């Protein structure tokens, strides 16, 4: 049993991961290089964490915020027995963080990475003890989405077991991926939907796409999702994924140009108040479209990607369904979608859209 944990990065994900660990009874040292980020996290833990936990069905333990210590120096992690990193998605930065961690941690301490588009192997490549790094990937919002994906091709069994034990201690049933791959399971499913939506933008406006998506049961439309994570973050993720997947998740050239221009103009999505849609705080203001778009190509791209996950040996179909259900808060998974619409009609949609656009996302694999 361990009692002391650490989290590096006090942003959107790190503050929730720290909150989950503290609520499970662990002492947590939360490290960030930015004092303001630590102050904001402390404020969030003191004022909002109990309500967020309760809203997600957690029993709130006695004042979880009291178990969190805030630090700007990595020395604060010296006695940690398990650490999660949640710093921005840049390989050079994550490797620097691993070097800083190795300088202070005992050699057998396991480090989880919350990366969405890199691999534990890449991130650990320059470490002395690279087999201590495992994927420990949450969905956003981490408190509310019941997902932790665990993987690590080079990780020791002990490291994978330690990560599993911690995930279970915070009341998650972790999903163990059979192989590590850029973007894991959930982020690849999500990337396929978002990418297909950008191809559909050639024929429809954002509201027509997103309203159609929510009408068939998506929690949020794919373009609202891009707004939510930020156009800058989304495009950086696509560029990271291109190293492994080529242009599979790339928008069409003219839409990419528009999205790059939106980023340059500061139209980043929710965080700047405007992206594909206008935002009022947390609320995405989607106008009523004249005609909702036919989004079967987006569903077909999702099912296609689910088949790729199975073929790549990441998970079996039941697990892929579970990943989307739990991580995307969806009632159904991609293979349920296939059953609803039929494999043959979905494959025909992919073939038609692939002929029309040449987009890799529509190239059928089933
Ligand atoms: P964020 O930008 O909200 O927070 C990152 C924090 O890391 C910032 O507070 C920053 O000051 C801090 N930081 C930067 N350099 C640091 C360093 N050297 N040492 C310590 N702290 C440092 O980012 P986020 O959205 O929380 O994402 C963090 C990670 O989680 C990324 O790998 C991302 O891919 C992954 N992730 C994000 C989401 C999402 O939807 N936001 C979902 C799943 C996974």
């Amino acid at each position: 049993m361990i009692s002391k944990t650490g989290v590096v990065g006090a942003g959107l994900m790190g503050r929730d991961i720290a909150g989950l660990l503290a609520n499970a009874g662990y002492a947590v040292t939360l490290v960030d290089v930015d004092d303001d980020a630590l102050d904001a996290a402390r404020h969030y833990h003191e004022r909002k964490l109990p309500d967020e936990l309760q809203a997600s069905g957690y029993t709130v333990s006695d004042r979880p915020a009291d178990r969190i210590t805030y630090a700007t120096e990595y020395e604060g992690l010296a006695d940690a027995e398990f650490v999660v990193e949640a710093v921005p998605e840049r390989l050079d930065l994550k490797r620097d963080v691993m070097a800083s961690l190795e300088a202070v941690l005992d050699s057998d301490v396991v480090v989880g990475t919350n990366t969405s588009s890199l691999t534990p192997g890449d991130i650990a490549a320059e470490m002395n003890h690279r087999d201590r790094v495992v994927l420990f990937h949450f969905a956003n919002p981490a408190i509310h989405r019941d997902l932790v994906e665990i993987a690590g091709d080079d990780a020791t069994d002990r490291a994978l077991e330690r990560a599993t034990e911690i995930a279970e201690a915070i009341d998650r049933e972790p999903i163990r991926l059979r192989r590590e791959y850029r973007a894991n399971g959930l982020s690849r499913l999500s990337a396929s939907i978002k990418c297909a939506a950008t191809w559909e933008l050639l024929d429809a406006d954002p509201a027509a796409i997103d309203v159609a998506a929510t009408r068939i049961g998506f929690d949020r439309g794919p373009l609202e999702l891009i707004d939510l994570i930020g156009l800058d973050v989304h495009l950086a993720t696509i560029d990271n994924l291109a190293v492994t997947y080529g242009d599979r998740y790339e928008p069409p050239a003219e839409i990419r140009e528009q999205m790059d221009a939106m980023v340059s103009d500061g139209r980043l999505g929710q965080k700047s108040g405007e992206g594909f849609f206008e935002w009022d705080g947390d609320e995405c203001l989607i106008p009523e479209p004249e005609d909702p778009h036919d989004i079967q190509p987006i569903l077909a791209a999702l099912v296609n990607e689910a088949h790729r996950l199975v073929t790549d040996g990441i998970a079996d179909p039941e697990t892929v369904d579970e990943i989307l259900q739990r991580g995307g808060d969806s009632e159904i998974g991609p293979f349920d979608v296939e059953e609803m619409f039929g494999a043959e009609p979905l494959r025909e949609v992919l073939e038609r859209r692939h002929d029309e656009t040449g987009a890799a996302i529509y190239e059928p694999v089933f």
Side-chain angles (χ1 to χ4, degrees), residues 39-95:
D39 283 347
R42 187 198 307 268
H43 187 267
Y44 170 80
H45 290 142
E46 283 169 359
R47 306 277 169 85
K48 296 191 174 153
L49 178 63
D51 288 347
E52 296 290 330
L53 289 165
Q54 212 155 24
S56 246
Y58 280 94
T59 305
V60 181
S61 63
D62 186 34
R63 297 180 57 83
D66 289 356
R67 282 188 283 283
I68 305 177
T69 309
Y70 303 83
T72 48
E73 302 297 331
Y74 281 70
E75 281 68 24
L77 294 166
D79 56 355
E81 295 158 287
F82 179 79
V83 175
V84 186
E85 77 75 19
V87 300
E89 195 72 351
R90 284 189 3 239
L91 184 57
D92 58 339
L93 174 62
K94 291 202 188 263
R95 283 185 175 168

Side-chain angles (χ1 to χ4, degrees), residues 104-172:
V104 297
L105 295 177
D106 284 346
S107 60
D108 62 347
V109 172
V110 174
V111 180
T113 168
N114 191 40
T115 183
S116 296
S117 60
L118 302 166
T119 62
D122 282 343
I123 291 168
E126 296 171 353
M127 293 172 77
N128 296 325
H129 301 280
R130 13 182 328 185
D131 56 3
R132 60 159 90 188
V133 178
V134 296
L135 178 75
F136 201 68
H137 181 244
F138 290 79
N140 177 20
I143 289 182
H144 299 291
R145 294 282 158 92
D146 177 19
L147 188 79
V148 181
E149 292 172 299
I150 291 177
D153 291 0
D154 302 328
T156 58
D157 287 346
R158 186 187 152 274
L160 291 162
E161 276 155 24
R162 172 56 48 96
T164 304
E165 170 201 318
I166 302 277
E168 286 170 355
I170 60 171
D171 251 343
R172 292 286 153 97

